[in-house]
Amino acid sequence: MVNIVCKKINLNNFLLFDGAMGTMLQKYGLKRGELPESYNILHPEIIEKIHSEYFEAGSDVITTNTFGANRYKLKNSQYTVSEIVVSAVKIARKVAGNRLVALDIGPIGQLMEPLGMLTFEDAYDTFSEQIKIGAREGADIILIETMTDIYEAKAAILAAKENSSLPIICTMSYQSDGRTLTGTDPITMVNVLQSLGVDAIGVNCSLGPNEMLPIVTEIIKYSKVPVMVQPNAGLPKLKNRQTVFNVEAHEFAEYAKLMVEMGVTILGGCCGTTCEHIKAINNVLKNLEPVHRNVQKITAVSSSSLTIVLGEGIKIIGERINPTGKKKLKEALKNNNLDYILQEAINQRDAGADILDVNVGLPEIDEREVMIQVIKELKSVVNLPLQIDSVRPDVIEAAVRIYNGKPLINSVNGKDEVMNSIFPIVKKYGACVIGLTLDDNGIPSKAEDRLKIAEKIVRRAEEYGIERADIIIDCLVLTASAQQSEVKETIRAVGLVKSTLGVKTTLGVSNVSFGLPQREILNRTFLAAALTAGLDAPILNPLSTEMISTINAFNVLWNKDINSKKYINAYSSFEEKTITNGVHKNRDLDRIIIDGLKEEAKELTLELLKTMSAMEIVNKYLIPSLDIVGKKYESGEIFLPQLLQSAETVKKAFEVIKESMLASTGTKLSKGKIALATVKGDIHDIGKNIVKILLENYGFEVIDLGKDVHENDVVNAVKSGNIKLVGLSALMTTTVRSMEETIKALRENNLDCTVMVGGAVLNEEYAKMIDADYYAKDATESVKIARKFFKCE
Ligand code: THG
């Protein structure tokens, strides 16, 4: 038996992976529409040959032919996950002997909640199945790759950690805007994934080596673990009706050298790369040494698209999602009125909060269930990182498990029992945690004694393998009304903790004023003093202009707001700003759509229908607000999850409007009919589904022909439905040919229809070559095309 656990893998030396599997399979006869993984069973000798060729070219590791071997992608095939994975690992193991085999895990191919239907636990189970089999059959490494949704990557990593003891590498795919499909940037990827305990991290697919350089630069800056890069052989082009890639082996190797000099140690190739590319990299590596990198540790929390680095300016933690003392929030929690909570989140964000504390602890409700529900809902409307606040470890664990990002846990303290229950959760799920300076004897009066507890917390955390940088100390604010003499001890403790332990600090500022009148006067004065002592992230009420203005003023006086830029920006037209203050008192339908509040959209639309016609609402509110959201998406202000949330919000309004139109005039609302299809051989319909959601919510009628659609079926649908605009999508390089054939079939049948195309490997030039009328670079572009086509402007 192969001793898989003890095999030495030194991820700090160079490790050369293989190149593409798909391109090689095509060379050996794989036809479009054929399942690449079926070759493990039908033609094992071909897979064997490809693996051997890569080893001969110099690969240290080969990757199993299991990219799509998950239960979703194999649903309609004749093979089970087990059959495919067992045969794939057996072949690789046989060829590899004592050399290394990486179990390849690709994305499931479904959108995760709330974008799609796939739940976190579904994704986890799907990956677990593959991983258990692959590990049992003798893989040495688990390679999770081509991930475009960091939430899915998290599910895969947890599945790998909980079902094997193998090293884990995770690489994600980026778009040319430097983000993944769902909006994750490099710093966020690194902060989240390395905290989850992956052994190496990196980027693969989608881009060529040149386009990857800026992304790799960012990853290298923050990654404490080895960095891996597997680029495509450039961008795809069509040549003699074949998809080819334009970066040849020698040029590819030049980029590899550049990346090694930047600090990359694990290399390989993705789409379009061959043995030649691997050979060339191997030659280059012979004359190079791994670069020693000195990575600075940061204290940072992340949502899926935003990372907040503590210490870079004052970071505000919004305190308002906490039922203590708030009658309305208590009522909302009891009645499961989530919109109230979402509104509270939006208000705090707009007022300047960087992180939101979430506490739903009420004796009358199921705290665990409600916490999970609130976290899930919050992530579709605000992209701020969350601080998970509960006294119950089971609630904390459930919440951080399904949280999409790197959360901040509130809190542990110096009690052994609490540390022993919370630290394992912090370590396993890769969170930051607040440590309160209290223990079994309560809160010490003297600053020096609070420092002692802080030291104990840090020491114990480090024993659990938690880094000091992931701990934020809270020296605890007591009320001036009851423990007046201790208020300034807290300020002193902040200074002591910072200088002695070098950790970041937080304080629940509003505690100080309980029981006294005009609380904000005390709050803001205490805040100013604490900031002076070095407080990094106050927990406070961001809706208080007193508090925000104190921070703004502090940033000027402490030389942090350079040239008082932010201050001037905030207060030069002071009167106007105080009126709006970013807080929405009277909510309009357009604001509600932009914020993505579904239930409110429905209610307000019903209200508006009493005084306005359906079309008026559509043209005055729905379309213009979707336009604003679309612009925000294009400018990188928001990302796919928020875009879809707004689209779904419009859907709610549309549902009401459609009913009313049908009832009053008997007419249906449609701005035009569009057929959509993912072409033959391609089962990746995520892109098409996103386009569908957007088009429908702009009022178009979408005929969804599904995925893996034969060209004849597209032709027939266009004929029978008298359709004038068709959208085709293809994700894989292998299926762009099907797209070309579908367009050809439409033209040959003399159908008077216009075709727009989109998909990861396409570009403007390519679209022209295959005779498409329009190229849609993303979903918002397809809406623009449709509006132009149906003259909706
Ligand atoms: N440290 C840490 N976490 C904390 C605290 C801390 N979490 C809770 C608390 N302290 C910080 N949060 C709040 C939230 C609300 C109030 C004070 C602190 C507050 N609420 C008003 C009241 O109770 O009367 C109600 C406000 C309203 O109705 O709008 O004052 O120290 N780590």
Side-chain angles (χ1 to χ4, degrees), residues 319-320 322 324-326 410 436 474 508 510-511 514 519 539:
E319 71 179 18
R320 295 187 56 83
N322 184 334
T324 3
K326 295 201 189 75
N410 192 11
L436 309 179
D474 183 339
S510 320
N511 301 351
F514 275 122
R519 291 181 59 185
I539 304 169

Side-chain angles (χ1 to χ4, degrees), residues 50-83:
I50 294 171
H51 286 329
S52 314
E53 286 181 24
Y54 275 126
F55 272 136
E56 273 161 39
S59 295
D60 303 307
V61 194
I62 51 162
T63 311
T64 58
N65 181 28
T66 52
F67 181 77
N70 67 67
R71 60 172 76 142
Y72 280 89
K73 282 190 178 171
L74 294 179
K75 194 150 69 192
N76 296 318
S77 91
Q78 60 197 106
Y79 306 105
T80 64
V81 173
S82 177
E83 282 166 337

Side-chain angles (χ1 to χ4, degrees), residues 669-707:
L669 173 89
S670 172
K671 290 185 177 270
K673 215 158 48 170
I674 304 167
L676 294 182
T678 302
V679 296
K680 189 176 67 187
D682 211 322
I683 53 162
H684 304 87
D685 59 351
I686 286 181
K688 182 213 64 188
N689 292 340
I690 294 168
V691 170
K692 179 182 171 186
I693 295 173
L694 277 194
L695 286 173
E696 282 186 338
N697 295 317
Y698 266 92
F700 297 100
E701 186 185 347
V702 173
I703 315 290
D704 185 356
L705 302 176
K707 57 188 174 186

